[in-house]
Amino acid sequence: MVVESVTKKFGATMALDGVSLEVPAGCVFGLIGPNGSGKTTLIRIALDLLRPTAGTISILGLDSRRRGVEVRTHTSYLPGNLVLPRKLTGRQYINDVARLRRVHGPSDHVELAERLHADLDRPIGQLSLGNRRKIGLVSALSHGPRLLFLDEPTAGMDPLVQQTFRRLVREAADRGATVFLSSHVLDEVQHVADRIAVVRGGRIVTTGTVDELTSQLTRTFRVSFDNYVDPMLFETTPNVVGVAAETNPHDLVFNVRGTAGPLFERLAGFHPCDVHGAEPDLEDAFLDLYRTRT
Ligand code: ADP
Ligand code: MG
């Protein structure tokens, strides 16, 4: 998929402001951004459910506006606010979606439902919210789509289902499918995505591999020593961008950008007795990326 300078205005609201992205085939691509940053709008434009104010999106080499029918045949979509017909069973719903997508031939939805523990035979109205979303996932994953749009796919799902979900996404990509995931939670996509783009206020703030992005983030390590250690001694350690003494005089707090290797090497000479590292949380990650990129 190639997104070129897509802009979308809703009245005075600039939902997307010149977004360009390239999503290679066979890639699991994660779009991360806080609520209201334009993720759903971008997906809806890609599927031609919404028209852009300016810009184009091509999917599998086809212009998504002019070749909408073909695009939808090869594409599946799990909306973030999934609303399912309450009276149909999962099986009936999945078959209906397949008909709408105009896909034929054998389907793998029974196997998918088993792996996700989705109940295909009860009316959807009787299922819990999490189990309804599983029906949506089975539907999106079945019939081997070449491109999948999954909007906040595992919101409200338990960790075991999330794990199965990641495996299914990986398998789809291994078969050559392109998977486009959106989330406001970094954790939901960082373990499965090959590439990530961060969107904020309708603009792409940064894009890269998960490793590239996390290596740009500042991480914090709290180190306890047996005795007082002067923070000044670490000011020239590579990748250490900040060091501060804690209220407890035997503790130092380090801010590290990139690998923490040089810090650990330097620390070894000072006999640290405990190290506590915190993964950067999403809020920090956004603030950090926003500061450095704009
Ligand atoms: P996200 O999916 O990242 O939470 P959205 O794409 O839903 O963000 O929304 C981006 C912005 O566009 C928000 O400010 C939202 O309020 C606005 N917006 C989205 N859809 C509409 C609409 N149909 N009418 C007016 N404003 C909208
Ligand atoms: Mg959304």
Side-chain angles (χ1 to χ4, degrees):
M1 172 165 78
V2 180
V3 177
E4 271 187 281
S5 315
V6 168
T7 294
K8 178 69 187 179
K9 285 186 206 157
F10 293 107
T13 306
M14 191 68 124
L16 294 173
D17 187 3
V19 168
S20 295
L21 284 177
E22 220 164 295
V23 182
C27 174
V28 180
F29 194 96
L31 183 65
I32 315 223
N35 289 325
S37 54
K39 306 180 296 294
T40 299
T41 302
L42 182 64
I43 292 175
R44 292 176 60 81
I45 290 173
L47 289 161
D48 198 33
L49 300 170
L50 200 64
R51 289 278 155 102
T53 307
T56 56
I57 299 186
S58 101
I59 286 179
L60 306 166
L62 304 168
D63 181 289
S64 74
R65 277 187 66 169
R66 268 176 277 151
R67 311 282 288 275
V69 175
E70 281 157 274
V71 164
R72 279 190 287 277
T73 299
H74 297 296
T75 306
S76 70
Y77 173 38
L78 176 70
N81 59 340
L82 180 67
V83 181
L84 298 172
R86 301 176 61 86
K87 290 190 177 155
L88 296 187
T89 64
R91 195 182 303 276
Q92 288 166 333
Y93 169 74
I94 288 162
N95 286 332
D96 281 1
V97 171
R99 247 195 316 277
L100 283 173
R101 271 184 53 209
R102 305 180 181 195
V103 285
H104 308 282
S107 169
D108 44 358
H109 65 270
V110 173
E111 188 205 323
L112 287 163
E114 265 168 27
R115 289 179 64 184
L116 285 163
H117 300 288
D119 186 341
L120 292 177
D121 295 310
R122 270 213 282 172
I124 290 166
Q126 294 177 16
L127 301 177
S128 72
L129 218 61
N131 284 331
R132 281 181 214 177
R133 278 197 78 73
K134 286 186 196 171
I135 298 292
L137 265 182
V138 171
S139 170
L141 288 161
S142 61
H143 283 102
R146 289 171 60 193
L147 180 59
L148 292 94
F149 289 99
L150 308 175
D151 199 358
E152 316 256 357
T154 55
M157 287 190 173
D158 66 62
L160 255 158
V161 180
Q162 295 198 21
Q163 227 175 52
T164 308
F165 167 77
R166 285 179 201 153
R167 221 168 286 140
L168 290 169
V169 163
R170 185 43 59 195
E171 288 169 21
D174 288 345
R175 282 196 305 269
T178 308
V179 186
F180 190 90
L181 298 168
S182 92
S183 182
H184 65 283
V185 193
L186 181 62
D187 192 60
E188 188 175 7
V189 300
Q190 72 177 343
H191 304 292
V192 65
D194 302 308
R195 293 186 69 78
I196 282 181
V198 179
V199 60
R200 193 177 173 121
R203 290 183 185 190
I204 301 298
V205 175
T206 186
T207 157
T209 66
V210 175
D211 284 348
E212 280 164 6
L213 294 199
T214 46
S215 71
Q216 292 168 21
L217 299 176
T218 306
R219 285 173 300 157
T220 301
F221 295 93
R222 179 188 302 272
V223 183
S224 304
F225 301 91
D226 284 336
N227 45 25
Y228 173 77
V229 174
D230 186 353
M232 296 286 278
L233 294 168
F234 296 90
E235 292 217 316
T236 56
T237 308
N239 296 356
V240 172
V241 293
V243 49
E246 276 287 275
T247 36
N248 176 348
H250 289 181
D251 284 3
L252 290 180
V253 173
F254 295 93
N255 293 321
V256 175
R257 183 165 298 175
T259 162
L263 171 64
F264 291 153
E265 270 170 40
R266 181 107 175 93
L267 279 172
F270 294 92
H271 306 289
C273 52
D274 203 8
V275 174
H276 176 82
E279 280 299 306
D281 77 8
L282 188 61
E283 210 50 44
D284 292 347
F286 279 132
L287 288 175
D288 206 53
L289 291 168
Y290 201 50
R291 249 198 325 266
T292 53
R293 294 287 150 153
T294 53

